[in-house]
Amino acid sequence: MSWFESFVLGLVQGLTEFLPISSSAHLRLTAAFAGWEDPGAAFTAVTQIGTEAAVLIYFRKDIGRILAAWWRSLFDKEARRDHDAQMGWLVIVGSIPIGVLGLAFKDQIEGPFRDLRLIATTLIALGIVLGIADRLAARDDKGGRHRARRERKSLEQLNVRDGLLFGCAQALALIPGVSRSGATISGGLFMGYRREAAARYSFLLAIPAVLASGLFELKDIGEGHVSWGPTAFATVLAFVVAYAIISWFMKWISTRSFMPFVIYRIALGILLFVLVATGALSPHAGEAAG
C-alpha cells in the first residue's frame, strides 16, 4: 500500500465511519474503483481505532461519568440505580452479540462478505430499512390530522432488552455495506427512541467492539501488501476527520432527516449492481492480493 492510498483510505474512513453509509463498504469500493488492492478487514478494523479515539474525546465527559458510576456500582448496590452506572452495564450487554458473531464468522467477514454484489445488496436493503425507520420517527415527531404527536424515548428509558436489540442491530455491521451507525440507529428508531438518543448510544456502543476488533487485527498488519507505516498514517488521519464529522452529524440529526443518506445508499447500490452486471467492475476486484 502506497502513502497516497493510505491518505485516501484514511480520509474515506474518517468521513464515513459515523454516517449511516458504511465505512467498510466505502474502503472496499474506493480501492476497487481506483484499481487498488483490497485494503482488507484488518486495515479497516485498525483504522477504526482512530475514529473511535475521536468518539472518546468528543464524548469524554459522558464516558468519564459512565465509567466512574459503573466502577462504583461494582461495590455499592445503591450506586447501581444510577443511570450512568446502568449505561455502563448496558454498553457491555449490547456488545455481546457483535463479539460472539465477529469471532464465529471471522473467515466470512474477511472473505465472502467482501463480494461487491453482497455489498450492493446490503447498501440498498439497509437504505430502505433506514428510510422506513426515519419516516416512522418523523410521523411521531409531527403527528397528523388524525393522530397526536407521540413522544419518543430517551436514553434514560433504555433497558436490558433494548440494549441487547441495539447490540443485535450493531452486529449486522459485520457485513460490509450495512453500516454500524445505520443499523443501530435504525434499530433504535424502530424501538421508539429519538434520533439523537439512538445515535448517541450507537456511538457509545461501538467503543468496546471497535477497539477490541482493532486490537485483535493488529497482528495481521504487515502481512501482505498492508504495512505498518501507511496504516498508522491512515489511522491518525481518520481520527482528525472523524472528530469533525461527529460534531456535524450530531447537529444534523437533531433537526434533519436521514433521507439524503437513504437516497445515497440506494443509488450507490444500484450503480454497483450495474457496473458488476455490465462487466465494468469485477465483484472480486482487488481481492486476489487483498
Side-chain angles (χ1 to χ4, degrees):
M1 176 181 290
S2 69
W3 289 98
F4 177 70
E5 288 178 49
S6 70
F7 171 79
V8 173
L9 295 174
L11 185 64
V12 170
Q13 171 63 37
L15 286 171
T16 59
E17 172 66 19
F18 300 115
L19 303 182
I21 56 177
S22 179
S23 62
S24 58
H26 278 75
L27 288 177
R28 175 80 177 91
L29 293 177
T30 299
F33 288 151
W36 300 336
E37 299 172 1
D38 180 2
F43 177 86
T44 300
V46 173
T47 54
Q48 285 176 340
I49 293 177
T51 53
E52 286 312 303
V55 172
L56 291 173
I57 293 177
Y58 187 85
F59 292 108
R60 60 189 180 278
K61 293 182 180 178
D62 290 349
I63 294 170
R65 195 176 61 249
I66 290 170
L67 285 175
W70 175 80
W71 181 256
R72 288 196 300 271
S73 74
L74 293 176
F75 311 100
D76 183 354
K77 290 184 178 180
E78 289 299 317
R80 295 171 192 172
R81 298 180 181 179
D82 186 278
H83 171 68
D84 289 325
Q86 294 172 357
M87 276 295 295
W89 287 110
L90 288 171
V91 167
I92 293 172
V93 168
S95 299
I96 294 173
I98 197 170
V100 172
L101 294 175
L103 291 173
F105 293 97
K106 183 178 185 298
D107 291 339
Q108 288 78 8
I109 294 166
E110 296 177 349
F113 284 3
R114 300 184 73 78
D115 187 304
L116 296 184
R117 291 165 296 190
L118 178 59
I119 290 176
T121 301
T122 53
L123 281 170
I124 294 171
L126 206 286
I128 294 172
V129 170
L130 178 61
I132 295 172
D134 187 64
R135 291 295 297 170
L136 290 175
R139 185 181 66 178
D140 287 346
D141 290 340
K142 296 178 181 178
R145 180 180 298 180
H146 302 294
R147 63 178 181 274
R149 181 178 179 274
R150 178 187 172 192
E151 186 66 28
R152 300 203 124 230
K153 294 188 284 188
S154 66
L155 285 185
E156 281 71 22
Q157 295 167 277
L158 186 67
N159 55 36
V160 174
R161 189 208 68 163
D162 288 356
L164 273 174
L165 290 176
F166 264 112
C168 291
Q170 177 183 236
L172 294 175
L174 291 168
I175 306 172
V178 169
S179 168
R180 187 187 310 275
S181 64
T184 49
I185 289 172
S186 294
L189 294 179
F190 277 120
M191 287 187 282
Y193 286 88
R194 295 199 296 262
R195 286 188 180 90
E196 59 271 26
R200 183 175 291 269
Y201 185 62
S202 169
F203 292 161
L204 294 175
L205 186 60
I207 294 172
V210 171
L211 292 181
S213 175
L215 293 173
F216 180 77
E217 295 286 0
L218 279 174
K219 67 183 188 308
D220 294 330
I221 300 298
E223 298 180 2
H225 76 292
V226 179
S227 56
W228 273 103
T231 301
F233 175 62
T235 302
V236 172
L237 180 60
F239 159 74
V240 174
V241 176
Y243 188 84
I245 291 296
I246 294 175
S247 179
W248 171 82
F249 186 62
M250 291 304 293
K251 293 175 183 176
W252 169 279
I253 61 174
S254 63
T255 58
R256 305 289 185 89
S257 164
F258 286 117
M259 289 311 294
F261 302 111
V262 171
I263 295 169
Y264 173 78
R265 289 182 64 101
I266 294 174
L268 180 59
I270 292 173
L271 173 62
L272 193 52
F273 268 130
V274 170
L275 291 174
V276 172
T278 58
L281 192 64
S282 167
H284 305 289
E287 280 188 4

PDB file of all heavy atoms in Angstrom, residues 234-261:
ATOM      1  N   ALA A 234      -2.977   6.392   8.058  1.00  0.00           N
ATOM      2  CA  ALA A 234      -4.408   6.398   7.763  1.00  0.00           C
ATOM      3  C   ALA A 234      -5.230   6.471   9.043  1.00  0.00           C
ATOM      4  O   ALA A 234      -6.278   7.131   9.089  1.00  0.00           O
ATOM      5  CB  ALA A 234      -4.775   5.148   6.967  1.00  0.00           C
ATOM      6  N   THR A 235      -4.756   5.814  10.100  1.00  0.00           N
ATOM      7  CA  THR A 235      -5.476   5.811  11.375  1.00  0.00           C
ATOM      8  C   THR A 235      -5.508   7.199  12.000  1.00  0.00           C
ATOM      9  O   THR A 235      -6.545   7.658  12.501  1.00  0.00           O
ATOM     10  CB  THR A 235      -4.824   4.812  12.351  1.00  0.00           C
ATOM     11  OG1 THR A 235      -4.830   3.503  11.761  1.00  0.00           O
ATOM     12  CG2 THR A 235      -5.563   4.769  13.675  1.00  0.00           C
ATOM     13  N   VAL A 236      -4.379   7.888  11.968  1.00  0.00           N
ATOM     14  CA  VAL A 236      -4.308   9.252  12.512  1.00  0.00           C
ATOM     15  C   VAL A 236      -5.188  10.197  11.703  1.00  0.00           C
ATOM     16  O   VAL A 236      -5.917  11.030  12.258  1.00  0.00           O
ATOM     17  CB  VAL A 236      -2.848   9.748  12.530  1.00  0.00           C
ATOM     18  CG1 VAL A 236      -2.790  11.225  12.918  1.00  0.00           C
ATOM     19  CG2 VAL A 236      -2.011   8.914  13.492  1.00  0.00           C
ATOM     20  N   LEU A 237      -5.126  10.087  10.383  1.00  0.00           N
ATOM     21  CA  LEU A 237      -5.947  10.938   9.521  1.00  0.00           C
ATOM     22  C   LEU A 237      -7.434  10.672   9.761  1.00  0.00           C
ATOM     23  O   LEU A 237      -8.239  11.615   9.827  1.00  0.00           O
ATOM     24  CB  LEU A 237      -5.597  10.685   8.055  1.00  0.00           C
ATOM     25  CG  LEU A 237      -6.380  11.497   7.019  1.00  0.00           C
ATOM     26  CD1 LEU A 237      -6.157  12.991   7.233  1.00  0.00           C
ATOM     27  CD2 LEU A 237      -5.969  11.094   5.609  1.00  0.00           C
ATOM     28  N   ALA A 238      -7.798   9.399   9.914  1.00  0.00           N
ATOM     29  CA  ALA A 238      -9.190   9.045  10.180  1.00  0.00           C
ATOM     30  C   ALA A 238      -9.672   9.678  11.480  1.00  0.00           C
ATOM     31  O   ALA A 238     -10.819  10.143  11.569  1.00  0.00           O
ATOM     32  CB  ALA A 238      -9.338   7.527  10.247  1.00  0.00           C
ATOM     33  N   PHE A 239      -8.805   9.731  12.487  1.00  0.00           N
ATOM     34  CA  PHE A 239      -9.156  10.352  13.771  1.00  0.00           C
ATOM     35  C   PHE A 239      -9.486  11.832  13.595  1.00  0.00           C
ATOM     36  O   PHE A 239     -10.518  12.322  14.075  1.00  0.00           O
ATOM     37  CB  PHE A 239      -8.001  10.192  14.756  1.00  0.00           C
ATOM     38  CG  PHE A 239      -8.028  11.183  15.884  1.00  0.00           C
ATOM     39  CD1 PHE A 239      -8.950  11.058  16.913  1.00  0.00           C
ATOM     40  CD2 PHE A 239      -7.145  12.257  15.907  1.00  0.00           C
ATOM     41  CE1 PHE A 239      -8.994  11.983  17.950  1.00  0.00           C
ATOM     42  CE2 PHE A 239      -7.184  13.181  16.929  1.00  0.00           C
ATOM     43  CZ  PHE A 239      -8.108  13.048  17.960  1.00  0.00           C
ATOM     44  N   VAL A 240      -8.637  12.552  12.882  1.00  0.00           N
ATOM     45  CA  VAL A 240      -8.823  14.003  12.701  1.00  0.00           C
ATOM     46  C   VAL A 240     -10.123  14.293  11.961  1.00  0.00           C
ATOM     47  O   VAL A 240     -10.925  15.147  12.372  1.00  0.00           O
ATOM     48  CB  VAL A 240      -7.623  14.603  11.941  1.00  0.00           C
ATOM     49  CG1 VAL A 240      -7.880  16.079  11.635  1.00  0.00           C
ATOM     50  CG2 VAL A 240      -6.341  14.442  12.744  1.00  0.00           C
ATOM     51  N   VAL A 241     -10.345  13.583  10.875  1.00  0.00           N
ATOM     52  CA  VAL A 241     -11.539  13.815  10.059  1.00  0.00           C
ATOM     53  C   VAL A 241     -12.797  13.386  10.814  1.00  0.00           C
ATOM     54  O   VAL A 241     -13.819  14.082  10.797  1.00  0.00           O
ATOM     55  CB  VAL A 241     -11.431  13.051   8.721  1.00  0.00           C
ATOM     56  CG1 VAL A 241     -12.713  13.206   7.911  1.00  0.00           C
ATOM     57  CG2 VAL A 241     -10.240  13.558   7.922  1.00  0.00           C
ATOM     58  N   ALA A 242     -12.739  12.253  11.496  1.00  0.00           N
ATOM     59  CA  ALA A 242     -13.907  11.727  12.205  1.00  0.00           C
ATOM     60  C   ALA A 242     -14.375  12.667  13.311  1.00  0.00           C
ATOM     61  O   ALA A 242     -15.581  12.794  13.551  1.00  0.00           O
ATOM     62  CB  ALA A 242     -13.591  10.353  12.790  1.00  0.00           C
ATOM     63  N   TYR A 243     -13.438  13.321  13.983  1.00  0.00           N
ATOM     64  CA  TYR A 243     -13.826  14.229  15.062  1.00  0.00           C
ATOM     65  C   TYR A 243     -14.713  15.353  14.532  1.00  0.00           C
ATOM     66  O   TYR A 243     -15.716  15.727  15.150  1.00  0.00           O
ATOM     67  CB  TYR A 243     -12.588  14.807  15.746  1.00  0.00           C
ATOM     68  CG  TYR A 243     -12.923  15.601  16.984  1.00  0.00           C
ATOM     69  CD1 TYR A 243     -13.114  14.969  18.198  1.00  0.00           C
ATOM     70  CD2 TYR A 243     -13.084  16.988  16.928  1.00  0.00           C
ATOM     71  CE1 TYR A 243     -13.455  15.681  19.338  1.00  0.00           C
ATOM     72  CE2 TYR A 243     -13.418  17.711  18.058  1.00  0.00           C
ATOM     73  CZ  TYR A 243     -13.605  17.065  19.262  1.00  0.00           C
ATOM     74  OH  TYR A 243     -13.952  17.777  20.381  1.00  0.00           O
ATOM     75  N   ALA A 244     -14.338  15.884  13.365  1.00  0.00           N
ATOM     76  CA  ALA A 244     -15.137  16.947  12.757  1.00  0.00           C
ATOM     77  C   ALA A 244     -16.500  16.415  12.311  1.00  0.00           C
ATOM     78  O   ALA A 244     -17.528  17.108  12.456  1.00  0.00           O
ATOM     79  CB  ALA A 244     -14.391  17.548  11.570  1.00  0.00           C
ATOM     80  N   ILE A 245     -16.523  15.204  11.797  1.00  0.00           N
ATOM     81  CA  ILE A 245     -17.766  14.616  11.312  1.00  0.00           C
ATOM     82  C   ILE A 245     -18.751  14.362  12.450  1.00  0.00           C
ATOM     83  O   ILE A 245     -19.957  14.586  12.318  1.00  0.00           O
ATOM     84  CB  ILE A 245     -17.484  13.300  10.550  1.00  0.00           C
ATOM     85  CG1 ILE A 245     -16.765  13.593   9.243  1.00  0.00           C
ATOM     86  CG2 ILE A 245     -18.780  12.542  10.281  1.00  0.00           C
ATOM     87  CD1 ILE A 245     -17.555  14.397   8.244  1.00  0.00           C
ATOM     88  N   ILE A 246     -18.260  13.885  13.607  1.00  0.00           N
ATOM     89  CA  ILE A 246     -19.149  13.620  14.746  1.00  0.00           C
ATOM     90  C   ILE A 246     -19.886  14.891  15.136  1.00  0.00           C
ATOM     91  O   ILE A 246     -21.101  14.899  15.334  1.00  0.00           O
ATOM     92  CB  ILE A 246     -18.365  13.094  15.967  1.00  0.00           C
ATOM     93  CG1 ILE A 246     -17.772  11.727  15.686  1.00  0.00           C
ATOM     94  CG2 ILE A 246     -19.298  12.981  17.183  1.00  0.00           C
ATOM     95  CD1 ILE A 246     -16.885  11.225  16.804  1.00  0.00           C
ATOM     96  N   SER A 247     -19.142  15.972  15.263  1.00  0.00           N
ATOM     97  CA  SER A 247     -19.734  17.243  15.669  1.00  0.00           C
ATOM     98  C   SER A 247     -20.822  17.674  14.694  1.00  0.00           C
ATOM     99  O   SER A 247     -21.926  18.073  15.094  1.00  0.00           O
ATOM    100  CB  SER A 247     -18.643  18.314  15.753  1.00  0.00           C
ATOM    101  OG  SER A 247     -19.194  19.561  16.119  1.00  0.00           O
ATOM    102  N   TRP A 248     -20.525  17.566  13.402  1.00  0.00           N
ATOM    103  CA  TRP A 248     -21.508  17.951  12.388  1.00  0.00           C
ATOM    104  C   TRP A 248     -22.717  17.031  12.402  1.00  0.00           C
ATOM    105  O   TRP A 248     -23.868  17.484  12.339  1.00  0.00           O
ATOM    106  CB  TRP A 248     -20.837  17.919  11.008  1.00  0.00           C
ATOM    107  CG  TRP A 248     -21.816  18.093   9.889  1.00  0.00           C
ATOM    108  CD1 TRP A 248     -22.336  19.267   9.416  1.00  0.00           C
ATOM    109  CD2 TRP A 248     -22.434  17.043   9.124  1.00  0.00           C
ATOM    110  NE1 TRP A 248     -23.231  19.013   8.399  1.00  0.00           N
ATOM    111  CE2 TRP A 248     -23.312  17.663   8.204  1.00  0.00           C
ATOM    112  CE3 TRP A 248     -22.316  15.651   9.125  1.00  0.00           C
ATOM    113  CZ2 TRP A 248     -24.067  16.933   7.290  1.00  0.00           C
ATOM    114  CZ3 TRP A 248     -23.078  14.914   8.221  1.00  0.00           C
ATOM    115  CH2 TRP A 248     -23.928  15.554   7.315  1.00  0.00           C
ATOM    116  N   PHE A 249     -22.485  15.738  12.517  1.00  0.00           N
ATOM    117  CA  PHE A 249     -23.563  14.761  12.429  1.00  0.00           C
ATOM    118  C   PHE A 249     -24.536  14.889  13.605  1.00  0.00           C
ATOM    119  O   PHE A 249     -25.758  14.781  13.426  1.00  0.00           O
ATOM    120  CB  PHE A 249     -22.980  13.349  12.374  1.00  0.00           C
ATOM    121  CG  PHE A 249     -23.997  12.265  12.135  1.00  0.00           C
ATOM    122  CD1 PHE A 249     -24.733  12.237  10.964  1.00  0.00           C
ATOM    123  CD2 PHE A 249     -24.212  11.268  13.082  1.00  0.00           C
ATOM    124  CE1 PHE A 249     -25.673  11.232  10.734  1.00  0.00           C
ATOM    125  CE2 PHE A 249     -25.133  10.269  12.858  1.00  0.00           C
ATOM    126  CZ  PHE A 249     -25.867  10.249  11.686  1.00  0.00           C
ATOM    127  N   MET A 250     -24.022  15.104  14.805  1.00  0.00           N
ATOM    128  CA  MET A 250     -24.899  15.233  15.968  1.00  0.00           C
ATOM    129  C   MET A 250     -25.801  16.463  15.847  1.00  0.00           C
ATOM    130  O   MET A 250     -26.945  16.449  16.308  1.00  0.00           O
ATOM    131  CB  MET A 250     -24.065  15.306  17.250  1.00  0.00           C
ATOM    132  CG  MET A 250     -23.345  14.005  17.605  1.00  0.00           C
ATOM    133  SD  MET A 250     -24.437  12.568  17.764  1.00  0.00           S
ATOM    134  CE  MET A 250     -25.383  13.015  19.223  1.00  0.00           C
ATOM    135  N   LYS A 251     -25.304  17.530  15.223  1.00  0.00           N
ATOM    136  CA  LYS A 251     -26.138  18.709  14.988  1.00  0.00           C
ATOM    137  C   LYS A 251     -27.155  18.423  13.888  1.00  0.00           C
ATOM    138  O   LYS A 251     -28.310  18.848  13.966  1.00  0.00           O
ATOM    139  CB  LYS A 251     -25.255  19.890  14.602  1.00  0.00           C
ATOM    140  CG  LYS A 251     -24.351  20.380  15.725  1.00  0.00           C
ATOM    141  CD  LYS A 251     -23.415  21.476  15.250  1.00  0.00           C
ATOM    142  CE  LYS A 251     -22.468  21.905  16.366  1.00  0.00           C
ATOM    143  NZ  LYS A 251     -21.483  22.919  15.902  1.00  0.00           N
ATOM    144  N   TRP A 252     -26.732  17.695  12.861  1.00  0.00           N
ATOM    145  CA  TRP A 252     -27.608  17.397  11.728  1.00  0.00           C
ATOM    146  C   TRP A 252     -28.842  16.612  12.168  1.00  0.00           C
ATOM    147  O   TRP A 252     -29.970  16.974  11.831  1.00  0.00           O
ATOM    148  CB  TRP A 252     -26.828  16.596  10.679  1.00  0.00           C
ATOM    149  CG  TRP A 252     -27.683  16.002   9.586  1.00  0.00           C
ATOM    150  CD1 TRP A 252     -28.422  14.859   9.640  1.00  0.00           C
ATOM    151  CD2 TRP A 252     -27.908  16.545   8.277  1.00  0.00           C
ATOM    152  NE1 TRP A 252     -29.079  14.635   8.459  1.00  0.00           N
ATOM    153  CE2 TRP A 252     -28.789  15.651   7.600  1.00  0.00           C
ATOM    154  CE3 TRP A 252     -27.446  17.678   7.614  1.00  0.00           C
ATOM    155  CZ2 TRP A 252     -29.211  15.877   6.294  1.00  0.00           C
ATOM    156  CZ3 TRP A 252     -27.868  17.896   6.302  1.00  0.00           C
ATOM    157  CH2 TRP A 252     -28.735  17.006   5.660  1.00  0.00           C
ATOM    158  N   ILE A 253     -28.626  15.532  12.915  1.00  0.00           N
ATOM    159  CA  ILE A 253     -29.740  14.637  13.229  1.00  0.00           C
ATOM    160  C   ILE A 253     -30.753  15.246  14.188  1.00  0.00           C
ATOM    161  O   ILE A 253     -31.870  14.750  14.314  1.00  0.00           O
ATOM    162  CB  ILE A 253     -29.244  13.296  13.803  1.00  0.00           C
ATOM    163  CG1 ILE A 253     -28.461  13.521  15.101  1.00  0.00           C
ATOM    164  CG2 ILE A 253     -28.435  12.532  12.801  1.00  0.00           C
ATOM    165  CD1 ILE A 253     -28.072  12.234  15.776  1.00  0.00           C
ATOM    166  N   SER A 254     -30.382  16.312  14.880  1.00  0.00           N
ATOM    167  CA  SER A 254     -31.322  16.940  15.807  1.00  0.00           C
ATOM    168  C   SER A 254     -32.421  17.708  15.072  1.00  0.00           C
ATOM    169  O   SER A 254     -33.486  17.964  15.635  1.00  0.00           O
ATOM    170  CB  SER A 254     -30.579  17.878  16.771  1.00  0.00           C
ATOM    171  OG  SER A 254     -29.978  18.939  16.051  1.00  0.00           O
ATOM    172  N   THR A 255     -32.166  18.060  13.808  1.00  0.00           N
ATOM    173  CA  THR A 255     -33.146  18.855  13.058  1.00  0.00           C
ATOM    174  C   THR A 255     -33.443  18.316  11.666  1.00  0.00           C
ATOM    175  O   THR A 255     -34.390  18.748  11.031  1.00  0.00           O
ATOM    176  CB  THR A 255     -32.642  20.305  12.901  1.00  0.00           C
ATOM    177  OG1 THR A 255     -31.360  20.297  12.238  1.00  0.00           O
ATOM    178  CG2 THR A 255     -32.498  20.986  14.251  1.00  0.00           C
ATOM    179  N   ARG A 256     -32.660  17.357  11.189  1.00  0.00           N
ATOM    180  CA  ARG A 256     -32.797  16.905   9.800  1.00  0.00           C
ATOM    181  C   ARG A 256     -33.173  15.431   9.707  1.00  0.00           C
ATOM    182  O   ARG A 256     -33.036  14.665  10.653  1.00  0.00           O
ATOM    183  CB  ARG A 256     -31.486  17.128   9.036  1.00  0.00           C
ATOM    184  CG  ARG A 256     -30.959  18.548   9.078  1.00  0.00           C
ATOM    185  CD  ARG A 256     -31.798  19.499   8.256  1.00  0.00           C
ATOM    186  NE  ARG A 256     -31.205  20.825   8.222  1.00  0.00           N
ATOM    187  CZ  ARG A 256     -30.319  21.208   7.321  1.00  0.00           C
ATOM    188  NH1 ARG A 256     -29.907  20.354   6.396  1.00  0.00           N
ATOM    189  NH2 ARG A 256     -29.832  22.437   7.345  1.00  0.00           N
ATOM    190  N   SER A 257     -33.606  15.059   8.505  1.00  0.00           N
ATOM    191  CA  SER A 257     -33.978  13.677   8.199  1.00  0.00           C
ATOM    192  C   SER A 257     -32.765  12.892   7.709  1.00  0.00           C
ATOM    193  O   SER A 257     -31.767  13.471   7.250  1.00  0.00           O
ATOM    194  CB  SER A 257     -35.063  13.691   7.117  1.00  0.00           C
ATOM    195  OG  SER A 257     -35.216  12.433   6.520  1.00  0.00           O
ATOM    196  N   PHE A 258     -32.872  11.568   7.770  1.00  0.00           N
ATOM    197  CA  PHE A 258     -31.826  10.695   7.241  1.00  0.00           C
ATOM    198  C   PHE A 258     -32.009  10.416   5.741  1.00  0.00           C
ATOM    199  O   PHE A 258     -31.231   9.663   5.156  1.00  0.00           O
ATOM    200  CB  PHE A 258     -31.827   9.348   7.991  1.00  0.00           C
ATOM    201  CG  PHE A 258     -31.277   9.422   9.376  1.00  0.00           C
ATOM    202  CD1 PHE A 258     -32.086   9.145  10.469  1.00  0.00           C
ATOM    203  CD2 PHE A 258     -29.951   9.749   9.607  1.00  0.00           C
ATOM    204  CE1 PHE A 258     -31.579   9.205  11.763  1.00  0.00           C
ATOM    205  CE2 PHE A 258     -29.439   9.814  10.897  1.00  0.00           C
ATOM    206  CZ  PHE A 258     -30.255   9.538  11.971  1.00  0.00           C
ATOM    207  N   MET A 259     -33.025  10.987   5.129  1.00  0.00           N
ATOM    208  CA  MET A 259     -33.355  10.653   3.745  1.00  0.00           C
ATOM    209  C   MET A 259     -32.215  10.901   2.749  1.00  0.00           C
ATOM    210  O   MET A 259     -32.058  10.115   1.796  1.00  0.00           O
ATOM    211  CB  MET A 259     -34.610  11.399   3.307  1.00  0.00           C
ATOM    212  CG  MET A 259     -35.883  10.901   3.965  1.00  0.00           C
ATOM    213  SD  MET A 259     -36.100   9.099   3.926  1.00  0.00           S
ATOM    214  CE  MET A 259     -36.280   8.832   2.156  1.00  0.00           C
ATOM    215  N   PRO A 260     -31.381  11.954   2.900  1.00  0.00           N
ATOM    216  CA  PRO A 260     -30.257  12.086   1.959  1.00  0.00           C
ATOM    217  C   PRO A 260     -29.330  10.877   1.972  1.00  0.00           C
ATOM    218  O   PRO A 260     -28.832  10.458   0.925  1.00  0.00           O
ATOM    219  CB  PRO A 260     -29.537  13.345   2.460  1.00  0.00           C
ATOM    220  CG  PRO A 260     -30.604  14.145   3.109  1.00  0.00           C
ATOM    221  CD  PRO A 260     -31.488  13.137   3.775  1.00  0.00           C
ATOM    222  N   PHE A 261     -29.120  10.293   3.159  1.00  0.00           N
ATOM    223  CA  PHE A 261     -28.276   9.105   3.265  1.00  0.00           C
ATOM    224  C   PHE A 261     -28.980   7.885   2.664  1.00  0.00           C
ATOM    225  O   PHE A 261     -28.329   7.027   2.060  1.00  0.00           O
ATOM    226  CB  PHE A 261     -27.922   8.833   4.727  1.00  0.00           C
ATOM    227  CG  PHE A 261     -27.220   9.973   5.399  1.00  0.00           C
ATOM    228  CD1 PHE A 261     -27.851  10.702   6.395  1.00  0.00           C
ATOM    229  CD2 PHE A 261     -25.932  10.342   5.034  1.00  0.00           C
ATOM    230  CE1 PHE A 261     -27.213  11.760   7.018  1.00  0.00           C
ATOM    231  CE2 PHE A 261     -25.287  11.389   5.648  1.00  0.00           C
ATOM    232  CZ  PHE A 261     -25.927  12.106   6.642  1.00  0.00           C
TER     233      PHE A 261
END
